[in-house]
Amino acid sequence: MDKNPIEKLLWSAALPGFGQFLNRKLFKGTVLLILEFLVNVQANFNEVIILSFQGNIQQSIEQTDYGWLMFYPCLYFFAMWDAWKDAGGGKDRYSFLPFVFAAYSVTTGLVLCQTLTLFGVLFGPVWLPMLFVIPGVIIGLIIRSFIYKFF
């Protein structure tokens, strides 16, 4: 069986559960896939994505069910980390930290997406959380480095 951790991570980024299926973790993959579809439908996320790509940010904000969409970041980053770990990635103790902090920061981006503007632009519930991935991963990597250095 191919154990390429990056491939499994990227398939899970495409759709939670796919990396688990490739790792032959069928039950876990099925649960994650069902959760992804449930959250997607309940949050009206496909419509929100379409509106965001069309530049209709205010409409996308109005169409979003934030109570459901708040589950997305943790679901996505857990699925990616889990698929990566099961395929042999992340052997060190704190390899999960960039994923966890990315989930935190994306959730923060989702909370702020209705009002926060960057450079005068309102990015909305798709683009702003995506931008918040970067600082989340960086913070996770810094904290992981700090732990290794001092503990």
Side-chain angles (χ1 to χ4, degrees), residues 32 48 134 143 149:
L32 288 169
V48 171
I134 298 164
I143 291 173
K149 186 173 183 172

Side-chain angles (χ1 to χ4, degrees), residues 17 67 96 114 122 144:
F96 62 89
Q114 296 178 60
L122 182 64
R144 187 179 76 174

Side-chain angles (χ1 to χ4, degrees), residues 144-151:
R144 187 179 76 174
S145 296
F146 178 80
I147 289 171
Y148 285 141
K149 186 173 183 172
F150 295 107
F151 296 101

